[in-house]
Amino acid sequence: MDTLFRLVSLQQSDQSFNSSRTSSSSRSSRQNNHYQQEDEECFNFFMDEEDFSSSSSRHTYYPYHQPHPSNTTTTPTTTTTNTSTPTHHPFEPTDFSFSPSRDLNFEFSGGWATDILLETARAIADKNSARVQQLMWMLNELSSPYGDTDQKLASYFLQALFSRMIDSGGRCYRTLSSASEKNCSFESTRKMVLKFQEWPTLLEALATRTDETPHLRLTTVVASKSAGSAGAGGLAAVQKVMKEIGNRMEKFARLMGVPFKFNVIHHAGDLCDLNLAELDIQSDEALAINCIGALHTITAVDNRRDILISNLRRLQPRIITVVEEEADLDVGIDGLEFVKGFQESLRWFRVYFESLDESFSRTSNERLMLERAAGRAIMDLVACSPSESIERRESATRWSQRLHGAGFSPFLFSEEVCDDVRALLRRYKEGWSMVQCPDVGIFLSWKDQKVVWASAWRP
């Protein structure tokens, strides 16, 4: 009989509050001057003098409106590149030998944004500077972060393509994150994150056991991209939200008669570098590890994802649960690889934005936060180097291979669990469905497009 039960939950600071809840925490946007001001800050960032005074060999384009005059002096940045990791370079219209537009036959059922954006990606791969300029001008005229799905896709992907061409993806990602932290209210963050606490079935299950009720210790690991990526305001907001979650769970545990303790570990940097000794696992505890939208935030270089999974295996957990978005998002460096990765990103984010549009109110501030988080993810995927990226998703098949390789075996969800999931989906608009696959777990789909993957594994 287990007298102690320990649950460790791995999260990523701002992505954990949105990406893992694609199916149920998606929200809509609010059009107000406050957030329009945020957009203006980001666009001005793209249009600084450094970008537009560069030499003609960079062939920088102008897809955004000119910024207001400013006395701010921009300091040129330098990028240190790991020689073992390929990186993309500023756009140069040379070498026309490769032509994805001629060599591939793409078929799309999406709207105009998908067609124009993909054609832009082809032109970039072809190094066709005139065509790129023409298409970017067109996208700039049609896009809007406050419009419909096509306008939003055009807006966010245009930002990312422009940053990729001038090699400023990392710098822009940091600016977008900083702007989000400044303009994100505690109440909005609280309302979105507390969606995690609508169904505390674990506590209910422990309370209704026929034998002795075990003690439960819940440790949540909240990781930020780096020590300098989260400002004091952003960190303070996360700390306040996590404290409230702990208070709510402790209150509910008392009502259910479950001895309970809540702990939070804030980790700056890649989860692969987490010191697992901080978890303070005791020898008499039955350990469960819950990874919600956390594994994809590990940098996808140098086998770091395999390393973390192997490290978790050495903790000898009774079970590990994994929830990730079902997508293969890795925009390549150049040529065919770049176009194919860009195509998949377009497909997946179209499904994402459509699910937001149809599931939640347009005036919801929580929805706006999720859309901005998606915009940051697009910037990361399209314009940041692999060594910096925390958004490169992998499919359920690839994650399953990693988990099998570390010595885990899949554990099927019971029919009771599946029925509970279906009941939860019925609380949302028609379009969501669930299917269980014996080897990899369950998939949540939006209009027959797989969006979220959830699975359980035993060593």
Side-chain angles (χ1 to χ4, degrees):
M1 177 178 65
D2 298 327
T3 58
L4 291 175
F5 187 84
R6 181 68 180 278
L7 176 64
V8 173
S9 179
L10 305 181
Q11 300 182 0
Q12 205 277 339
S13 183
D14 60 357
Q15 278 74 21
S16 67
F17 297 156
N18 51 75
S19 60
S20 63
R21 296 294 296 182
T22 305
S23 64
S24 59
S25 292
S26 304
R27 296 295 184 264
S28 62
S29 63
R30 177 177 65 185
Q31 300 184 26
N32 55 34
N33 292 333
H34 180 70
Y35 287 100
Q36 290 176 0
Q37 191 173 35
E38 175 189 336
D39 276 347
E40 187 173 342
E41 291 179 8
C42 298
F43 290 168
N44 287 350
F45 172 80
F46 292 134
M47 300 289 289
D48 60 24
E49 292 181 2
E50 177 194 354
D51 294 333
F52 292 116
S53 62
S54 55
S55 65
S56 59
S57 64
R58 292 174 63 96
H59 289 268
T60 302
Y61 300 103
Y62 305 79
Y64 302 109
H65 300 293
Q66 278 284 42
H68 299 294
S70 171
N71 294 325
T72 303
T73 301
T74 302
T75 303
T77 60
T78 59
T79 302
T80 302
T81 303
N82 187 336
T83 56
S84 63
T85 304
T87 58
H88 61 268
H89 300 284
F91 177 75
E92 295 182 5
T94 58
D95 185 9
F96 287 83
S97 60
F98 175 77
S99 177
S101 57
R102 295 191 300 270
D103 300 340
L104 292 177
N105 179 24
F106 291 98
E107 294 182 1
F108 287 92
S109 58
W112 60 263
T114 296
D115 296 332
I116 301 176
L117 285 165
L118 181 64
E119 186 63 24
T120 305
R122 289 168 171 166
I124 290 175
D126 281 345
K127 297 181 172 62
N128 186 339
S129 58
R131 183 63 171 157
V132 170
Q133 186 172 14
Q134 177 189 37
L135 291 166
M136 282 194 157
W137 178 88
M138 186 185 304
L139 287 167
N140 188 55
E141 292 297 307
L142 297 173
S143 65
S144 169
Y146 303 109
D148 59 21
T149 295
D150 279 283
Q151 290 174 304
K152 289 172 183 174
L153 280 173
S155 177
Y156 289 122
F157 275 95
L158 177 59
Q159 281 186 340
L161 285 172
F162 181 67
S163 296
R164 179 187 180 94
M165 290 170 59
I166 63 173
D167 206 22
S168 64
R171 188 159 57 102
C172 182
Y173 183 92
R174 290 188 292 272
T175 297
L176 291 171
S177 298
S178 177
S180 174
E181 291 169 3
K182 287 190 297 183
N183 293 299
C184 178
S185 70
F186 167 72
E187 184 60 24
S188 296
T189 305
R190 169 189 174 278
K191 288 172 64 178
M192 182 167 60
V193 176
L194 289 180
K195 281 290 181 182
F196 284 104
Q197 306 305 315
E198 288 184 340
W199 311 303
T201 53
L202 173 61
L203 288 170
E204 292 175 351
L206 294 177
T208 55
R209 284 176 52 153
T210 56
D211 53 3
E212 180 182 354
T213 302
H215 290 68
L216 173 63
R217 286 208 296 155
L218 172 59
T219 298
T220 297
V221 180
V222 182
S224 57
K225 188 171 183 179
S226 65
S229 65
L235 179 60
V238 171
Q239 290 174 336
K240 288 177 66 177
V241 170
M242 298 309 297
K243 182 178 180 180
E244 181 164 350
I245 288 175
N247 291 338
R248 286 165 58 98
M249 294 192 69
E250 288 171 355
K251 181 179 179 180
F252 185 78
R254 286 195 299 270
L255 292 174
M256 301 297 293
V258 177
F260 177 76
K261 184 177 180 181
F262 184 77
N263 184 42
V264 180
I265 296 175
H266 293 278
H267 174 72
D270 199 299
L271 274 175
C272 184
D273 300 321
L274 175 67
N275 180 7
L276 297 181
E278 294 183 55
L279 300 177
D280 191 27
I281 306 299
Q282 303 299 314
S283 60
D284 59 347
E285 291 179 324
L287 174 64
I289 299 176
N290 185 35
C291 301
I292 299 181
L295 295 183
H296 80 262
T297 67
I298 302 166
T299 305
V301 295
D302 301 329
N303 297 319
R304 294 176 68 82
R305 295 179 173 182
D306 293 312
I307 291 171
L308 177 66
I309 293 174
S310 297
N311 289 341
L312 296 180
R313 174 67 177 83
R314 284 194 285 271
L315 293 176
Q316 298 182 330
R318 298 290 182 90
I319 194 167
I320 177 171
T321 54
V322 177
V323 178
E324 284 290 341
E325 288 150 337
E326 173 57 7
D328 186 8
L329 303 185
D330 185 0
V331 177
I333 302 303
D334 202 358
L336 173 62
E337 185 184 60
F338 165 66
V339 177
K340 290 178 66 177
F342 192 84
Q343 175 190 12
E344 174 61 10
S345 296
L346 275 174
R347 182 201 67 80
W348 195 88
F349 280 103
R350 172 171 287 280
V351 174
Y352 182 89
F353 279 110
E354 285 178 350
S355 68
L356 296 185
D357 192 47
E358 297 195 30
S359 298
F360 300 96
S361 165
R362 286 182 175 272
T363 59
S364 168
N365 195 45
E366 292 74 47
R367 169 175 166 170
L368 177 62
M369 294 172 63
L370 292 171
E371 290 177 340
R372 294 297 168 82
R376 294 193 296 275
I378 292 169
M379 178 64 66
D380 176 290
L381 287 165
V382 175
C384 292
S385 68
S387 62
E388 295 179 331
S389 174
I390 60 171
E391 296 290 348
R392 277 165 166 73
R393 272 76 158 173
E394 292 181 319
S395 67
T397 300
R398 182 66 183 111
W399 284 120
S400 296
Q401 291 172 348
R402 293 183 184 278
L403 287 157
H404 277 293
F408 289 99
S409 299
F411 180 70
L412 293 181
F413 293 106
S414 67
E415 279 303 314
E416 181 181 359
V417 170
C418 292
D419 289 341
D420 287 342
V421 174
R422 292 187 184 99
L424 294 176
L425 291 179
R426 286 195 292 269
R427 297 179 57 175
Y428 297 91
K429 283 193 174 183
E430 185 178 354
W432 289 106
S433 60
M434 189 215 80
V435 62
Q436 179 165 216
C437 298
D439 296 332
V440 293
I442 62 175
F443 292 94
L444 302 183
S445 299
W446 170 255
K447 295 184 177 179
D448 298 324
Q449 293 271 358
K450 292 178 180 177
V451 179
V452 177
W453 167 65
S455 62
W457 302 78
R458 282 181 170 176

